Amino acid sequence: MKTFYSSVVELRQEFVTDIETHPYECGWADEAIFFVEVHAPEPGVRLGLRVQLSPDGIRWHDEGTVIDTGTSTFARVTHFGGFLRLAGAAHRPDGTAAPATISVRLALKG
Amino acid sequence: MPFSPTGYFDPLPRILVADDFDHGMNGWLDLRPNFVAPGFREHSDDIDLIHWGPTMLSSATFAFGGTHGSANGTYSLKISSRAAAAPPDQPPAPGSMGLAIKRLAVPPGVRRLRVEALVAYKVEQDRPGLGVNDLRAFGMFVDLQDGEHRYMPGVRYVNAVEGSPVRRWQYYSPTTATDEEWSYGADGWHKAGIDPQWFGERAADGSTVATTWFDDGEQHLIYNESDDKLNWTPFSLTVDLTRRCYEELRVGGKVLRFPDGAHPTLAPAYDDIQGLLNPVFFVEADTDRRVSLFLDSVLVSAEGELA
């Protein structure tokens, strides 16, 4: 049997400006899915998040996967080394930054 | 649950669970509140209980040292806080702790319980220097309930307070606080003495209304000389379930004695949890810096037979 674990990395967490989720160690896993849920979003606000990976949980690089949602969505990730997080921000239609309350669940298998 | 036994462990005769984190999470997960209020909100909002740091399987990998691995293998359980802390005489700040729990039940005839682990603790190496005094505390307790009482025997290593070293062990002891005082003024769900890891008035020296310092509790554990070096240290707490009192704490090369009959607060029993046996490990930040408690493995054992 493979190992499976889902971590609720962020639960109803309010981010006022920049969004950076907790550095999550998951080198044991072969595959990951980030589930992102936006709570009570302002009308028109979009969440733009980039999947990032890291050699040490401190120095981060864009992995290439991008999330753009106003409600909820998911992103699949593979071949990510030891650490994963999401980074980005929420924006109003006019481009100004908006606060956002989000939950992020990370489903891992390997 | 495959397990690699080592001479670090000295279990009681009945092994209840032997968790080696090279083989997955073994049922350990984040300690979270009860999401039973309308809209799946948490059961109480006296303090923020939903933003503690997440638990994960770690290879203990660092920027300069590479992968440390665990005492037996590659993976350990990493319990992490977020980068937040409140002053020591205030309730814990949102995210300032990380807690991992495993939920079991007491089998018939058990009179003594022992929780053992190999542990290490580190501060995130996100800046130059030595971060040892940015970690306030770590500890372990067991959530227990028999026919009369819910009680939480446990110990806490107060490593540093407001950046100054303390390096002393304390144990959870009875409180005379009212339920309202215990929950920082909110008379709701919680009974005095329950969840001492975050409830009960705190003092500037790192104590709370439900902690007592060991007489000989000073101990300089191995943090090591850098934030990326860790030493697996044996931990063992034994509890007498018939007297609801402490027996012995062993950490590293030290045996800490409890005063005879010492016990935690004996609270009234709660509904629907009689017989639970939930060990919890936790870590607390002292500054705005992430801290972690690593567990190579956990062994829960017991003594006592069916009559």
Side-chain angles (χ1 to χ4, degrees):
Chain A
M1 301 283 281
K2 291 184 175 182
T3 291
F4 177 84
Y5 189 72
S6 270
S7 175
V8 183
V9 180
E10 306 290 345
L11 179 60
R12 299 170 190 156
Q13 179 65 55
E14 183 180 15
F15 292 91
V16 177
T17 54
D18 293 342
I19 297 171
E20 290 178 352
T21 64
H22 192 89
Y24 201 86
E25 253 204 275
C26 47
W28 60 271
D30 297 323
E31 58 185 70
I33 300 180
F34 274 111
F35 291 94
V36 177
E37 179 182 5
V38 186
H39 299 282
E42 258 183 59
V45 165
R46 303 289 298 181
L47 201 61
L49 297 172
R50 307 179 310 282
V51 173
Q52 292 191 319
L53 43 75
S54 169
D56 52 20
I58 295 167
R59 296 156 183 83
W60 295 93
H61 305 275
D62 290 344
E63 180 269 348
T65 305
V66 173
I67 288 172
D68 176 18
T69 185
T71 53
S72 63
T73 189
F74 68 91
R76 294 190 177 97
V77 196
T78 55
H79 201 164
F80 44 75
F83 296 82
L84 281 174
R85 76 171 185 182
L86 296 174
H91 291 99
R92 300 186 181 88
D94 65 3
T96 58
T101 299
I102 66 172
S103 292
V104 174
R105 298 173 176 89
L106 183 57
L108 299 157
K109 190 188 297 180
Chain B
M1 53 183 170
F3 195 73
S4 306
T6 79
Y8 282 118
F9 293 94
D10 180 22
L12 295 173
R14 295 174 64 179
I15 305 296
L16 302 185
V17 290
D19 297 335
D20 179 344
F21 297 106
D22 280 303
H23 304 284
M25 297 288 286
N26 284 285
W28 291 85
L29 75 166
D30 299 335
L31 176 54
R32 288 254 160 83
N34 305 318
F35 295 97
V36 293
F40 297 104
R41 305 301 297 189
E42 51 275 24
H43 63 286
S44 67
D45 56 4
D46 25 38
I47 63 169
D48 183 333
L49 298 177
I50 72 167
H51 294 123
W52 309 128
T55 304
M56 60 198 89
L57 291 175
S58 172
S59 58
T61 293
F62 303 95
F64 308 105
T67 294
H68 217 299
S70 59
N72 273 306
T74 300
Y75 294 106
S76 55
L77 191 75
K78 179 169 131 184
I79 303 165
S80 64
S81 80
R82 298 179 195 272
D89 59 351
Q90 297 297 308
S96 62
M97 303 181 72
L99 309 97
I101 186 171
K102 177 162 176 146
R103 297 191 170 96
L104 304 168
V106 178
V110 166
R111 300 189 306 271
R112 301 170 70 211
L113 181 72
R114 178 169 293 168
V115 179
E116 297 174 88
L118 282 175
V119 308
Y121 56 102
K122 297 315 295 181
V123 172
E124 188 175 66
Q125 195 177 32
D126 62 343
R127 62 198 77 169
L130 183 63
V132 58
N133 290 328
D134 290 329
L135 186 148
R136 182 171 299 165
F138 70 84
M140 194 284 296
F141 64 92
V142 191
D143 188 358
L144 292 161
Q145 178 167 308
D146 54 30
E148 293 176 69
H149 293 291
R150 186 178 185 187
Y151 60 110
M152 295 185 167
V155 293
R156 179 172 178 244
Y157 181 69
V158 181
N159 175 67
V161 171
E162 292 204 292
S164 295
V166 177
R167 315 289 197 259
R168 286 180 72 192
W169 285 96
Q170 56 186 205
Y171 59 92
Y172 292 135
S173 51
T175 178
T176 57
T178 65
D179 294 348
E180 185 175 352
E181 290 166 344
W182 182 250
S183 304
Y184 304 114
D187 189 9
W189 189 291
H190 307 283
K191 301 297 181 193
I194 298 304
D195 288 334
Q197 74 279 18
W198 53 55
F199 286 131
E201 186 179 343
R202 264 118 235 278
D205 68 350
S207 62
T208 82
V209 293
T211 61
T212 296
W213 299 102
F214 281 89
D215 284 342
D216 61 346
E218 185 173 341
Q219 186 175 24
H220 290 257
L221 291 173
I222 308 170
Y223 179 82
N224 211 308
E225 300 168 309
S226 174
D227 294 332
D228 60 357
K229 296 180 179 177
L230 49 87
N231 291 70
W232 298 103
T233 300
F235 169 97
S236 170
L237 177 68
T238 308
V239 179
D240 180 333
L241 300 190
T242 58
R243 298 171 63 208
R244 303 187 188 96
C245 66
Y246 297 103
E247 276 197 14
E248 187 182 78
L249 171 65
R250 302 178 199 166
V251 188
K254 190 177 175 82
V255 177
L256 292 97
R257 308 286 181 193
F258 292 90
D260 187 44
H263 59 84
T265 306
L266 304 179
Y270 283 41
D271 292 337
D272 302 320
I273 58 169
Q274 182 170 336
L276 92 168
L277 192 178
N278 295 357
V280 176
F281 285 87
F282 62 89
V283 67
E284 306 171 41
D286 192 54
T287 65
D288 61 344
R289 203 167 173 191
R290 295 184 190 97
V291 298
S292 297
L293 178 68
F294 297 82
L295 308 179
D296 164 82
S297 45
V298 178
L299 186 56
V300 181
S301 59
E303 183 174 4
E305 302 78 30
L306 287 171

